[in-house]
Amino acid sequence: MSSRSVRSLALAASVAAALIAPDAAHAAPVTACTALNLCYCINSDNRAAIDANIVRIRQMLADERGRGKSIGYLSIPLSPAGGGYFPINQEIAQQAKDNIERRFGAQSAWMLNPGAAGNLPAGASGADFMYMWTTVLEGPRGMGEDFDFFYFTGPKDFGRFFTLTGEGDFTKIEAYFDNRAATDPEFKKAIDQGKVTRFGFRNYYGLKASVSFSSGSHDEWNIARLLNERRRGATDFGIAAQLPVLFDGQAVNPGSYESPTASGDVGRCIN
């Protein structure tokens, strides 16, 4: 083979490698399972960030516990799926956290708000986030020992943000939509791009804004159920040591502690 042919083959190989490299650079998804045997199909590129966040969040919990506070976990839909708007959901999450802490006393209770505490690289999937939150919620012993209660947000929690009173609620949400569109350039941009619509926004926040329509919150409900199931069967815990569960500000009935719901992001990678 001539030197020219060798050079041509080498060049062709280099071009082929360059074309393949971008896809090869993306790590394959991997199945990651937790102490509760809940498995998620995560991006292995995000594993280091997930692990670092778990350590950081557990330290936050320990710090608040060291101040003598009861620790709650706030389950709230943040995704815009269904007609919502992510920045508004973040604002509602912060308001809900503040309201719950005010209810119990900010000096005595602290809520972990996932919308403010769980930073992962851009493009992280729901499974990446849920693997992280499941590991945090389980605690080092897999008994949820870092938490004292779960709070699942409902219509009343969202309604407070829009000052809904049970009279003309759709009209109030539409007025909020129009005012925000006129004063928030990013919101107006999302509307112009078709990412949010007046009709979908009104119906979401008027009818669906709660954990009932959230994939992540469904998983979190099942995590709470599994943790309490473990506690009920453990000699050093028992029924009296279950983690309290509140929905929309009220304690759930005893049967709900044992009732599962449809899974959201739970699932192994399919090869």
Side-chain angles (χ1 to χ4, degrees):
M1 183 180 294
S2 69
S3 60
R4 182 175 181 180
S5 297
V6 172
R7 287 195 299 272
S8 297
L9 287 173
L11 177 60
S14 297
V15 171
L19 292 172
I20 294 172
D23 289 334
H26 292 289
V30 296
T31 297
C33 300
T34 73
L36 289 174
N37 198 31
L38 294 175
C39 300
Y40 300 91
C41 186
I42 70 170
N43 182 343
S44 60
D45 283 346
N46 291 333
R47 189 60 180 265
I50 291 171
D51 291 343
N53 264 348
I54 291 170
V55 172
R56 178 179 59 82
I57 294 168
R58 282 180 172 166
Q59 186 59 55
M60 291 170 57
L61 300 176
D63 291 345
E64 295 299 332
R65 176 80 73 201
R67 298 183 179 99
K69 296 183 181 181
S70 295
I71 308 299
Y73 180 79
L74 177 67
S75 181
I76 185 166
L78 294 167
S79 164
Y85 183 58
F86 178 72
I88 286 177
N89 290 341
Q90 283 187 308
E91 293 171 26
I92 295 172
Q94 184 59 49
Q95 183 188 74
K97 169 183 165 67
D98 294 341
N99 286 340
I100 298 165
E101 290 176 349
R102 188 178 304 112
R103 169 182 172 178
F104 293 114
Q107 74 282 1
S108 302
W110 186 81
M111 298 300 300
L112 176 58
N113 172 12
N119 299 321
L120 286 180
S125 69
D128 293 334
F129 278 99
M130 282 313 304
Y131 172 71
M132 177 180 72
W133 289 123
T134 302
T135 306
V136 167
L137 290 169
E138 289 175 339
R141 295 169 52 201
M143 300 296 283
E145 61 270 23
D146 289 339
F147 292 88
D148 296 293
F149 65 100
F150 283 81
Y151 187 105
F152 291 86
T153 51
K156 292 179 182 177
D157 296 301
F158 281 82
R160 290 187 190 95
F161 182 82
F162 297 99
T163 62
L164 304 184
T165 61
E167 183 175 346
D169 287 348
F170 271 4
T171 303
K172 292 174 183 175
I173 294 170
E174 288 173 333
Y176 179 94
F177 180 96
D178 294 340
N179 181 67
R180 184 136 185 170
T183 58
D184 182 344
E186 289 300 315
F187 187 59
K188 181 62 166 60
K189 181 179 177 181
I191 296 170
D192 293 341
Q193 293 175 341
K195 295 179 179 178
V196 59
T197 67
R198 193 171 190 262
F199 182 86
F201 186 93
R202 180 196 71 195
N203 282 3
Y204 178 79
Y205 288 108
L207 298 170
K208 298 195 295 184
S210 78
V211 295
S212 300
F213 295 87
S214 166
S215 294
S217 292
H218 272 226
D219 287 334
E220 288 162 352
W221 178 274
N222 288 330
I223 292 164
R225 182 189 70 82
L226 288 169
L227 288 172
N228 280 329
E229 183 178 78
R230 279 191 162 198
R231 286 179 169 231
R232 288 193 300 273
T235 55
D236 52 342
F237 283 92
I239 287 178
Q242 292 182 108
L243 289 165
V245 178
L246 291 84
F247 169 70
D248 209 19
Q250 301 297 319
V252 301
N253 64 64
S256 295
Y257 279 76
E258 303 170 28
S259 300
T261 190
S263 297
D265 291 302
V266 168
R268 294 173 176 270
C269 298
I270 300 174
N271 296 325

PDB file of all heavy atoms in Angstrom, residues 110-139:
ATOM      1  N   TRP A 110     -38.611  23.305  59.932  1.00  0.00           N
ATOM      2  CA  TRP A 110     -37.899  23.676  58.708  1.00  0.00           C
ATOM      3  C   TRP A 110     -38.313  22.738  57.589  1.00  0.00           C
ATOM      4  O   TRP A 110     -38.300  21.510  57.760  1.00  0.00           O
ATOM      5  CB  TRP A 110     -36.378  23.586  58.907  1.00  0.00           C
ATOM      6  CG  TRP A 110     -35.596  24.092  57.726  1.00  0.00           C
ATOM      7  CD1 TRP A 110     -35.318  25.395  57.421  1.00  0.00           C
ATOM      8  CD2 TRP A 110     -34.970  23.303  56.701  1.00  0.00           C
ATOM      9  NE1 TRP A 110     -34.576  25.471  56.269  1.00  0.00           N
ATOM     10  CE2 TRP A 110     -34.343  24.201  55.812  1.00  0.00           C
ATOM     11  CE3 TRP A 110     -34.891  21.927  56.455  1.00  0.00           C
ATOM     12  CZ2 TRP A 110     -33.639  23.764  54.682  1.00  0.00           C
ATOM     13  CZ3 TRP A 110     -34.200  21.488  55.330  1.00  0.00           C
ATOM     14  CH2 TRP A 110     -33.572  22.403  54.465  1.00  0.00           C
ATOM     15  N   MET A 111     -38.729  23.310  56.463  1.00  0.00           N
ATOM     16  CA  MET A 111     -39.169  22.536  55.317  1.00  0.00           C
ATOM     17  C   MET A 111     -38.069  22.478  54.263  1.00  0.00           C
ATOM     18  O   MET A 111     -37.486  23.504  53.897  1.00  0.00           O
ATOM     19  CB  MET A 111     -40.408  23.171  54.679  1.00  0.00           C
ATOM     20  CG  MET A 111     -41.618  23.246  55.578  1.00  0.00           C
ATOM     21  SD  MET A 111     -42.179  21.627  56.156  1.00  0.00           S
ATOM     22  CE  MET A 111     -42.557  20.806  54.602  1.00  0.00           C
ATOM     23  N   LEU A 112     -37.808  21.285  53.781  1.00  0.00           N
ATOM     24  CA  LEU A 112     -36.895  21.127  52.659  1.00  0.00           C
ATOM     25  C   LEU A 112     -37.686  21.346  51.380  1.00  0.00           C
ATOM     26  O   LEU A 112     -38.580  20.565  51.043  1.00  0.00           O
ATOM     27  CB  LEU A 112     -36.269  19.730  52.665  1.00  0.00           C
ATOM     28  CG  LEU A 112     -35.357  19.393  51.471  1.00  0.00           C
ATOM     29  CD1 LEU A 112     -34.217  20.385  51.353  1.00  0.00           C
ATOM     30  CD2 LEU A 112     -34.817  17.975  51.596  1.00  0.00           C
ATOM     31  N   ASN A 113     -37.381  22.419  50.691  1.00  0.00           N
ATOM     32  CA  ASN A 113     -38.043  22.788  49.439  1.00  0.00           C
ATOM     33  C   ASN A 113     -37.200  22.266  48.276  1.00  0.00           C
ATOM     34  O   ASN A 113     -36.129  22.803  48.004  1.00  0.00           O
ATOM     35  CB  ASN A 113     -38.194  24.311  49.367  1.00  0.00           C
ATOM     36  CG  ASN A 113     -38.703  24.781  48.011  1.00  0.00           C
ATOM     37  OD1 ASN A 113     -39.161  23.998  47.182  1.00  0.00           O
ATOM     38  ND2 ASN A 113     -38.615  26.083  47.778  1.00  0.00           N
ATOM     39  N   PRO A 114     -37.641  21.239  47.561  1.00  0.00           N
ATOM     40  CA  PRO A 114     -36.831  20.677  46.476  1.00  0.00           C
ATOM     41  C   PRO A 114     -36.577  21.663  45.348  1.00  0.00           C
ATOM     42  O   PRO A 114     -35.603  21.524  44.614  1.00  0.00           O
ATOM     43  CB  PRO A 114     -37.651  19.476  45.998  1.00  0.00           C
ATOM     44  CG  PRO A 114     -39.061  19.780  46.422  1.00  0.00           C
ATOM     45  CD  PRO A 114     -38.927  20.534  47.709  1.00  0.00           C
ATOM     46  N   GLY A 115     -37.444  22.675  45.221  1.00  0.00           N
ATOM     47  CA  GLY A 115     -37.245  23.657  44.162  1.00  0.00           C
ATOM     48  C   GLY A 115     -36.080  24.580  44.408  1.00  0.00           C
ATOM     49  O   GLY A 115     -35.601  25.245  43.489  1.00  0.00           O
ATOM     50  N   ALA A 116     -35.587  24.615  45.642  1.00  0.00           N
ATOM     51  CA  ALA A 116     -34.481  25.514  45.967  1.00  0.00           C
ATOM     52  C   ALA A 116     -33.219  24.785  46.375  1.00  0.00           C
ATOM     53  O   ALA A 116     -32.149  25.392  46.434  1.00  0.00           O
ATOM     54  CB  ALA A 116     -34.901  26.451  47.104  1.00  0.00           C
ATOM     55  N   ALA A 117     -33.324  23.482  46.641  1.00  0.00           N
ATOM     56  CA  ALA A 117     -32.182  22.771  47.219  1.00  0.00           C
ATOM     57  C   ALA A 117     -31.541  21.743  46.306  1.00  0.00           C
ATOM     58  O   ALA A 117     -30.437  21.288  46.579  1.00  0.00           O
ATOM     59  CB  ALA A 117     -32.616  22.075  48.511  1.00  0.00           C
ATOM     60  N   GLY A 118     -32.210  21.362  45.232  1.00  0.00           N
ATOM     61  CA  GLY A 118     -31.710  20.231  44.435  1.00  0.00           C
ATOM     62  C   GLY A 118     -31.144  20.597  43.088  1.00  0.00           C
ATOM     63  O   GLY A 118     -31.720  20.242  42.053  1.00  0.00           O
ATOM     64  N   ASN A 119     -30.038  21.313  43.061  1.00  0.00           N
ATOM     65  CA  ASN A 119     -29.462  21.738  41.792  1.00  0.00           C
ATOM     66  C   ASN A 119     -28.705  20.600  41.105  1.00  0.00           C
ATOM     67  O   ASN A 119     -27.837  19.979  41.701  1.00  0.00           O
ATOM     68  CB  ASN A 119     -28.506  22.914  42.015  1.00  0.00           C
ATOM     69  CG  ASN A 119     -29.209  24.111  42.611  1.00  0.00           C
ATOM     70  OD1 ASN A 119     -30.338  24.409  42.253  1.00  0.00           O
ATOM     71  ND2 ASN A 119     -28.557  24.786  43.543  1.00  0.00           N
ATOM     72  N   LEU A 120     -29.059  20.352  39.848  1.00  0.00           N
ATOM     73  CA  LEU A 120     -28.345  19.393  39.015  1.00  0.00           C
ATOM     74  C   LEU A 120     -28.019  20.059  37.682  1.00  0.00           C
ATOM     75  O   LEU A 120     -28.610  21.083  37.335  1.00  0.00           O
ATOM     76  CB  LEU A 120     -29.202  18.136  38.785  1.00  0.00           C
ATOM     77  CG  LEU A 120     -29.356  17.175  39.961  1.00  0.00           C
ATOM     78  CD1 LEU A 120     -30.237  15.991  39.561  1.00  0.00           C
ATOM     79  CD2 LEU A 120     -28.001  16.670  40.455  1.00  0.00           C
ATOM     80  N   PRO A 121     -27.085  19.499  36.919  1.00  0.00           N
ATOM     81  CA  PRO A 121     -26.712  20.113  35.638  1.00  0.00           C
ATOM     82  C   PRO A 121     -27.918  20.283  34.718  1.00  0.00           C
ATOM     83  O   PRO A 121     -28.898  19.528  34.794  1.00  0.00           O
ATOM     84  CB  PRO A 121     -25.709  19.111  35.056  1.00  0.00           C
ATOM     85  CG  PRO A 121     -25.137  18.412  36.238  1.00  0.00           C
ATOM     86  CD  PRO A 121     -26.270  18.307  37.225  1.00  0.00           C
ATOM     87  N   ALA A 122     -27.850  21.281  33.858  1.00  0.00           N
ATOM     88  CA  ALA A 122     -28.912  21.521  32.883  1.00  0.00           C
ATOM     89  C   ALA A 122     -29.143  20.256  32.062  1.00  0.00           C
ATOM     90  O   ALA A 122     -28.207  19.571  31.676  1.00  0.00           O
ATOM     91  CB  ALA A 122     -28.525  22.681  31.969  1.00  0.00           C
ATOM     92  N   GLY A 123     -30.401  19.958  31.820  1.00  0.00           N
ATOM     93  CA  GLY A 123     -30.730  18.773  31.051  1.00  0.00           C
ATOM     94  C   GLY A 123     -30.937  17.526  31.884  1.00  0.00           C
ATOM     95  O   GLY A 123     -31.266  16.464  31.349  1.00  0.00           O
ATOM     96  N   ALA A 124     -30.747  17.626  33.205  1.00  0.00           N
ATOM     97  CA  ALA A 124     -30.987  16.474  34.074  1.00  0.00           C
ATOM     98  C   ALA A 124     -32.451  16.056  33.957  1.00  0.00           C
ATOM     99  O   ALA A 124     -33.348  16.884  33.850  1.00  0.00           O
ATOM    100  CB  ALA A 124     -30.642  16.812  35.514  1.00  0.00           C
ATOM    101  N   SER A 125     -32.676  14.758  33.975  1.00  0.00           N
ATOM    102  CA  SER A 125     -34.028  14.231  33.781  1.00  0.00           C
ATOM    103  C   SER A 125     -34.778  14.129  35.101  1.00  0.00           C
ATOM    104  O   SER A 125     -34.197  14.252  36.192  1.00  0.00           O
ATOM    105  CB  SER A 125     -33.952  12.848  33.137  1.00  0.00           C
ATOM    106  OG  SER A 125     -33.396  11.909  34.059  1.00  0.00           O
ATOM    107  N   GLY A 126     -36.081  13.866  34.989  1.00  0.00           N
ATOM    108  CA  GLY A 126     -36.862  13.623  36.189  1.00  0.00           C
ATOM    109  C   GLY A 126     -36.343  12.436  36.973  1.00  0.00           C
ATOM    110  O   GLY A 126     -36.360  12.435  38.203  1.00  0.00           O
ATOM    111  N   ALA A 127     -35.844  11.424  36.251  1.00  0.00           N
ATOM    112  CA  ALA A 127     -35.285  10.249  36.923  1.00  0.00           C
ATOM    113  C   ALA A 127     -34.027  10.614  37.702  1.00  0.00           C
ATOM    114  O   ALA A 127     -33.800  10.095  38.805  1.00  0.00           O
ATOM    115  CB  ALA A 127     -34.973   9.164  35.896  1.00  0.00           C
ATOM    116  N   ASP A 128     -33.187  11.511  37.150  1.00  0.00           N
ATOM    117  CA  ASP A 128     -31.983  11.956  37.867  1.00  0.00           C
ATOM    118  C   ASP A 128     -32.376  12.610  39.188  1.00  0.00           C
ATOM    119  O   ASP A 128     -31.793  12.321  40.246  1.00  0.00           O
ATOM    120  CB  ASP A 128     -31.194  12.959  37.019  1.00  0.00           C
ATOM    121  CG  ASP A 128     -30.590  12.350  35.772  1.00  0.00           C
ATOM    122  OD1 ASP A 128     -30.331  11.133  35.767  1.00  0.00           O
ATOM    123  OD2 ASP A 128     -30.372  13.098  34.796  1.00  0.00           O
ATOM    124  N   PHE A 129     -33.351  13.512  39.115  1.00  0.00           N
ATOM    125  CA  PHE A 129     -33.788  14.208  40.324  1.00  0.00           C
ATOM    126  C   PHE A 129     -34.424  13.251  41.315  1.00  0.00           C
ATOM    127  O   PHE A 129     -34.160  13.330  42.522  1.00  0.00           O
ATOM    128  CB  PHE A 129     -34.780  15.321  39.970  1.00  0.00           C
ATOM    129  CG  PHE A 129     -34.126  16.593  39.518  1.00  0.00           C
ATOM    130  CD1 PHE A 129     -34.017  16.905  38.170  1.00  0.00           C
ATOM    131  CD2 PHE A 129     -33.611  17.494  40.440  1.00  0.00           C
ATOM    132  CE1 PHE A 129     -33.413  18.080  37.751  1.00  0.00           C
ATOM    133  CE2 PHE A 129     -33.001  18.675  40.038  1.00  0.00           C
ATOM    134  CZ  PHE A 129     -32.900  18.971  38.691  1.00  0.00           C
ATOM    135  N   MET A 130     -35.252  12.335  40.822  1.00  0.00           N
ATOM    136  CA  MET A 130     -35.954  11.446  41.744  1.00  0.00           C
ATOM    137  C   MET A 130     -35.024  10.423  42.391  1.00  0.00           C
ATOM    138  O   MET A 130     -35.241  10.031  43.545  1.00  0.00           O
ATOM    139  CB  MET A 130     -37.110  10.745  41.036  1.00  0.00           C
ATOM    140  CG  MET A 130     -38.337  11.638  40.873  1.00  0.00           C
ATOM    141  SD  MET A 130     -38.811  12.534  42.389  1.00  0.00           S
ATOM    142  CE  MET A 130     -39.013  11.197  43.561  1.00  0.00           C
ATOM    143  N   TYR A 131     -33.978  10.000  41.682  1.00  0.00           N
ATOM    144  CA  TYR A 131     -33.004   9.125  42.328  1.00  0.00           C
ATOM    145  C   TYR A 131     -32.344   9.884  43.485  1.00  0.00           C
ATOM    146  O   TYR A 131     -32.153   9.329  44.584  1.00  0.00           O
ATOM    147  CB  TYR A 131     -31.944   8.660  41.333  1.00  0.00           C
ATOM    148  CG  TYR A 131     -30.814   7.904  41.984  1.00  0.00           C
ATOM    149  CD1 TYR A 131     -31.010   6.622  42.488  1.00  0.00           C
ATOM    150  CD2 TYR A 131     -29.559   8.484  42.137  1.00  0.00           C
ATOM    151  CE1 TYR A 131     -29.987   5.936  43.125  1.00  0.00           C
ATOM    152  CE2 TYR A 131     -28.526   7.807  42.774  1.00  0.00           C
ATOM    153  CZ  TYR A 131     -28.745   6.534  43.255  1.00  0.00           C
ATOM    154  OH  TYR A 131     -27.729   5.861  43.899  1.00  0.00           O
ATOM    155  N   MET A 132     -32.009  11.156  43.241  1.00  0.00           N
ATOM    156  CA  MET A 132     -31.391  11.972  44.291  1.00  0.00           C
ATOM    157  C   MET A 132     -32.344  12.139  45.478  1.00  0.00           C
ATOM    158  O   MET A 132     -31.962  11.902  46.640  1.00  0.00           O
ATOM    159  CB  MET A 132     -31.012  13.339  43.726  1.00  0.00           C
ATOM    160  CG  MET A 132     -30.415  14.298  44.752  1.00  0.00           C
ATOM    161  SD  MET A 132     -29.984  15.895  44.007  1.00  0.00           S
ATOM    162  CE  MET A 132     -31.617  16.596  43.727  1.00  0.00           C
ATOM    163  N   TRP A 133     -33.601  12.534  45.214  1.00  0.00           N
ATOM    164  CA  TRP A 133     -34.530  12.794  46.308  1.00  0.00           C
ATOM    165  C   TRP A 133     -34.904  11.520  47.042  1.00  0.00           C
ATOM    166  O   TRP A 133     -35.090  11.538  48.272  1.00  0.00           O
ATOM    167  CB  TRP A 133     -35.776  13.514  45.794  1.00  0.00           C
ATOM    168  CG  TRP A 133     -35.513  14.922  45.403  1.00  0.00           C
ATOM    169  CD1 TRP A 133     -35.737  15.514  44.194  1.00  0.00           C
ATOM    170  CD2 TRP A 133     -34.925  15.944  46.225  1.00  0.00           C
ATOM    171  NE1 TRP A 133     -35.343  16.821  44.210  1.00  0.00           N
ATOM    172  CE2 TRP A 133     -34.836  17.116  45.444  1.00  0.00           C
ATOM    173  CE3 TRP A 133     -34.463  15.969  47.540  1.00  0.00           C
ATOM    174  CZ2 TRP A 133     -34.308  18.302  45.939  1.00  0.00           C
ATOM    175  CZ3 TRP A 133     -33.926  17.156  48.036  1.00  0.00           C
ATOM    176  CH2 TRP A 133     -33.861  18.308  47.236  1.00  0.00           C
ATOM    177  N   THR A 134     -35.002  10.404  46.323  1.00  0.00           N
ATOM    178  CA  THR A 134     -35.313   9.146  47.003  1.00  0.00           C
ATOM    179  C   THR A 134     -34.209   8.794  47.991  1.00  0.00           C
ATOM    180  O   THR A 134     -34.479   8.401  49.136  1.00  0.00           O
ATOM    181  CB  THR A 134     -35.481   8.007  45.981  1.00  0.00           C
ATOM    182  OG1 THR A 134     -36.508   8.346  45.052  1.00  0.00           O
ATOM    183  CG2 THR A 134     -35.855   6.704  46.668  1.00  0.00           C
ATOM    184  N   THR A 135     -32.958   8.945  47.565  1.00  0.00           N
ATOM    185  CA  THR A 135     -31.826   8.641  48.437  1.00  0.00           C
ATOM    186  C   THR A 135     -31.809   9.567  49.648  1.00  0.00           C
ATOM    187  O   THR A 135     -31.535   9.133  50.778  1.00  0.00           O
ATOM    188  CB  THR A 135     -30.509   8.753  47.659  1.00  0.00           C
ATOM    189  OG1 THR A 135     -30.579   7.924  46.483  1.00  0.00           O
ATOM    190  CG2 THR A 135     -29.323   8.313  48.507  1.00  0.00           C
ATOM    191  N   VAL A 136     -32.112  10.850  49.424  1.00  0.00           N
ATOM    192  CA  VAL A 136     -32.168  11.798  50.538  1.00  0.00           C
ATOM    193  C   VAL A 136     -33.284  11.412  51.511  1.00  0.00           C
ATOM    194  O   VAL A 136     -33.084  11.386  52.735  1.00  0.00           O
ATOM    195  CB  VAL A 136     -32.394  13.237  50.017  1.00  0.00           C
ATOM    196  CG1 VAL A 136     -32.762  14.181  51.160  1.00  0.00           C
ATOM    197  CG2 VAL A 136     -31.151  13.747  49.304  1.00  0.00           C
ATOM    198  N   LEU A 137     -34.461  11.115  50.977  1.00  0.00           N
ATOM    199  CA  LEU A 137     -35.608  10.814  51.831  1.00  0.00           C
ATOM    200  C   LEU A 137     -35.429   9.524  52.613  1.00  0.00           C
ATOM    201  O   LEU A 137     -35.894   9.406  53.754  1.00  0.00           O
ATOM    202  CB  LEU A 137     -36.882  10.739  50.974  1.00  0.00           C
ATOM    203  CG  LEU A 137     -37.366  12.082  50.408  1.00  0.00           C
ATOM    204  CD1 LEU A 137     -38.455  11.869  49.370  1.00  0.00           C
ATOM    205  CD2 LEU A 137     -37.866  12.990  51.525  1.00  0.00           C
ATOM    206  N   GLU A 138     -34.759   8.555  52.025  1.00  0.00           N
ATOM    207  CA  GLU A 138     -34.533   7.286  52.719  1.00  0.00           C
ATOM    208  C   GLU A 138     -33.671   7.458  53.958  1.00  0.00           C
ATOM    209  O   GLU A 138     -33.876   6.778  54.965  1.00  0.00           O
ATOM    210  CB  GLU A 138     -33.833   6.298  51.780  1.00  0.00           C
ATOM    211  CG  GLU A 138     -34.695   5.778  50.662  1.00  0.00           C
ATOM    212  CD  GLU A 138     -33.895   4.918  49.711  1.00  0.00           C
ATOM    213  OE1 GLU A 138     -32.647   5.052  49.685  1.00  0.00           O
ATOM    214  OE2 GLU A 138     -34.499   4.113  48.993  1.00  0.00           O
ATOM    215  N   GLY A 139     -32.697   8.348  53.880  1.00  0.00           N
ATOM    216  CA  GLY A 139     -31.759   8.502  54.983  1.00  0.00           C
ATOM    217  C   GLY A 139     -30.694   7.429  54.955  1.00  0.00           C
ATOM    218  O   GLY A 139     -30.811   6.427  54.237  1.00  0.00           O
TER     219      GLY A 139
END
